[in-house]
Amino acid sequence: MRHTQVPMKRRVHYAWVILGLTSLALISSSGARAVLAVFIKPMEDSFDTARATISLAASFGVLIGALSQPLVGQLLDRYGPRVIVSVACVLVVGVGALASSVITAPWQLYLTYGLTAGLGGGTVATGVVARWFARDRGMAIAIAQSGQSVGQVLMVPLATALALEMGWRNGYMVIGLSLVLVLFPLLFWLMRDDPADVGLTAFGEQEPADGAGAAPSEAAAAPARPPRRPLLSGSPWLLPARLLRLVLPPPPTAALHSREFWLLAGSFFVCGFTSGGLVGTHLMAWADDHHFPAMASASAYGVMAIFNMPSAIGAGWVSDRFSRKNLLAAVYFTRGLALLYLINVTDVVGLNVFAVLMGMSWFATVPPTAALSADVAGKGSAASVYGWVFLSHQVGNAVAAWAAGAMYDAMGTYNWAILFAGLTDFVAAGLAFMIRERGRPSQVSRPEAQTPQMASTGARSGY
């Protein structure tokens, strides 16, 4: 009976197929969002309008994307990733790109881009990984989330070539058709909601030994997942109320009453405040004030991007083997030091040193934050909880984008905004350190090395 498990060990677990499909969806959706940066100038010339009119659509898209993440998380927890990942990350974004190709006035971009581009956010990765991975969650989340950086790296050069050869309208048309006619059917065909749909348990979850009772799984310790029910089932008179409930979903009450949830939300607010809000929005202006050449500051962005992906994947690997809260605290502390260092930067070498430190700490917060959110919520509502945590990140992003500019207008320098941001990173490090983990990842052994007693203990830990 023991060697009947050998063939299964040689097969690739379907969780890795699901992870690859989720990464592909995030690559495509983030890339489709990023191309607006390429099309801003051609659209400005086409409509003979101010650049701010076009770029404001991007800000609107970020805000809508942030506000939609709790809803996307609730829908994924209730209806499963097969429909939600395929529709939110690919189909809706693709339809938005197609609609953007035929707009006749700039205000229409707020509908075609602003209402669709932000739906496929990182919340889906957390929800998918929570369902399919009982082990190596941090690494899996890092791989899926890094797809958002990959999408920007791949799609921006492609969009540039399309804009030069075919114009921005045809460029949007090609991107939209690729998402709707190619990627959406592929994802809908291959995606599955749960491991049980293909006769498996989650990756790393111990299966019961022959002749023994089933070991308690994570699902037994986690909050029960809301039952999946078709949106159009039941009385048609209840459809308006059901749609209202989807638009205004009730928060995951147990998680919102958790101290750990608020520590994660507070620290992730600082993450958005100090990364995309401050550095992502104002670094080029800061460099111009300090008389850096334009190409030097642009190269610093490239250096940050180079270090983003390996640092995120490395953080995922570390978070699966060591304390997640300590890793998160260390990342915030490193970012705080980087921002304090930026105040004293006076040459290109120093700017690139800052870019390395910032790149190492930018995406590295995501794997431990997402994994800790999944630990707090359990498998049943992981996407919902991370959606609310991610919302706090985007609110911090929006606040810093405005506040740093207001401080500059009042004081004539970015130094005070940078100093304040660096100090808030130290506060975030303290918040992360206060988190009580449900169980260190290192306590969960590899399945092949576990005894039934060890597997039962690991399942009760909720990891």
Side-chain angles (χ1 to χ4, degrees):
M1 298 298 291
R2 292 181 178 175
H3 30 286
T4 58
Q5 298 180 353
V6 173
M8 294 299 294
K9 291 182 180 179
R10 293 177 179 174
R11 297 176 57 186
V12 175
H13 196 287
Y14 203 74
W16 296 105
V17 177
I18 297 296
L19 182 64
L21 293 171
T22 304
S23 300
L24 183 61
L26 292 176
I27 287 172
S28 303
S29 61
S30 66
R33 289 194 298 272
V35 299
L36 181 61
V38 177
F39 294 155
I40 282 180
K41 186 63 170 67
M43 294 174 78
E44 175 188 354
D45 296 337
S46 178
F47 293 115
D48 191 24
T49 187
R51 184 168 301 185
T53 303
I54 305 297
S55 60
L56 188 59
S59 301
F60 184 62
V62 170
L63 179 61
I64 293 298
L67 295 174
S68 70
Q69 291 309 296
L71 170 62
V72 171
Q74 292 267 347
L75 293 175
L76 193 148
D77 285 333
R78 181 172 293 272
Y79 298 104
R82 185 185 186 193
V83 171
I84 301 307
V85 173
S86 302
V87 173
C89 288
V90 177
L91 182 61
V92 172
V93 176
V95 170
L98 290 173
S100 297
S101 70
V102 295
I103 61 174
T104 58
W107 68 265
Q108 297 169 358
L109 191 64
Y110 291 75
L111 303 178
T112 62
Y113 179 90
L115 293 180
T116 64
L119 294 182
T123 299
V124 298
T126 303
V128 172
V129 168
R131 287 170 176 253
W132 282 88
F133 287 82
R135 195 186 76 219
D136 296 339
R137 275 183 179 170
M139 175 67 77
I141 289 172
I143 292 173
Q145 296 279 21
S146 65
Q148 298 187 75
S149 293
V150 174
Q152 297 172 19
V153 171
L154 295 179
M155 196 67 80
V156 168
L158 174 61
T160 302
L162 290 173
L164 291 174
E165 296 294 328
M166 308 169 61
W168 66 270
R169 291 186 183 275
N170 288 330
Y172 260 136
M173 181 71 70
V174 170
I175 293 170
L177 290 174
S178 299
L179 294 179
V180 172
L181 299 182
V182 178
L183 189 56
F184 170 69
L186 177 67
L187 288 175
F188 196 78
W189 176 42
L190 295 176
M191 283 290 291
R192 296 293 183 270
D193 290 329
D194 290 289
D197 294 343
V198 290
L200 298 172
T201 58
F203 178 76
E205 189 172 56
Q206 180 72 12
E207 295 189 17
D210 291 337
S217 63
E218 179 187 3
R225 182 184 301 132
R228 280 182 281 167
R229 63 184 76 151
L231 182 62
L232 300 178
S233 65
S235 171
W237 300 104
L238 298 178
L239 181 59
R242 195 170 298 158
L243 289 172
L244 179 62
R245 184 178 178 85
L246 289 179
V247 175
L248 298 172
T253 306
L256 291 180
H257 290 170
S258 165
R259 170 177 174 267
E260 278 59 46
F261 170 83
W262 293 106
L263 292 173
L264 286 169
S267 60
F268 221 34
F269 174 93
V270 174
C271 180
F273 188 95
T274 57
S275 57
L278 176 67
V279 176
T281 305
H282 295 282
L283 181 62
M284 293 290 287
W286 173 91
D288 183 67
D289 287 345
H290 288 74
H291 308 294
F292 283 96
M295 286 304 299
S297 52
S299 297
Y301 272 102
V303 171
M304 282 191 289
I306 289 173
F307 281 87
N308 271 341
M309 269 191 294
S311 64
I313 294 175
W317 185 90
V318 172
S319 70
D320 286 329
R321 289 156 177 81
F322 303 99
S323 171
R324 287 168 176 159
K325 68 162 190 173
N326 291 345
L327 169 64
L328 191 58
V331 172
Y332 282 124
F333 191 82
T334 300
R335 187 186 297 179
L337 292 178
L339 289 171
L340 295 184
Y341 173 76
L342 179 62
I343 296 175
N344 300 301
V345 168
T346 57
D347 55 27
V348 173
V349 174
L351 181 60
N352 283 293
V353 170
F354 165 77
V356 171
L357 294 173
M358 192 67 198
M360 291 175 60
S361 61
W362 193 310
F363 274 80
T365 60
V366 175
T369 299
L372 285 166
S373 298
D375 291 343
V376 168
K379 186 163 59 176
S381 56
S384 303
V385 171
Y386 185 69
W388 285 92
V389 172
F390 184 74
L391 173 60
S392 73
H393 178 282
Q394 295 300 81
V395 170
N397 190 326
V399 169
W402 169 82
M407 293 177 73
Y408 177 83
D409 290 338
M411 303 175 183
T413 177
Y414 278 112
N415 285 349
W416 291 105
I418 296 172
L419 174 63
F420 178 77
L423 295 178
T424 61
D425 270 320
F426 296 143
V427 173
L431 295 177
F433 192 74
M434 292 167 60
I435 294 171
R436 291 191 297 262
E437 296 182 86
R438 290 179 59 180
R440 289 177 53 127
S442 58
Q443 293 172 342
V444 182
S445 304
R446 302 279 175 179
E448 56 269 21
Q450 288 181 327
T451 65
Q453 291 80 8
M454 293 168 62
S456 176
T457 302
R460 286 194 298 271
S461 70
Y463 180 75

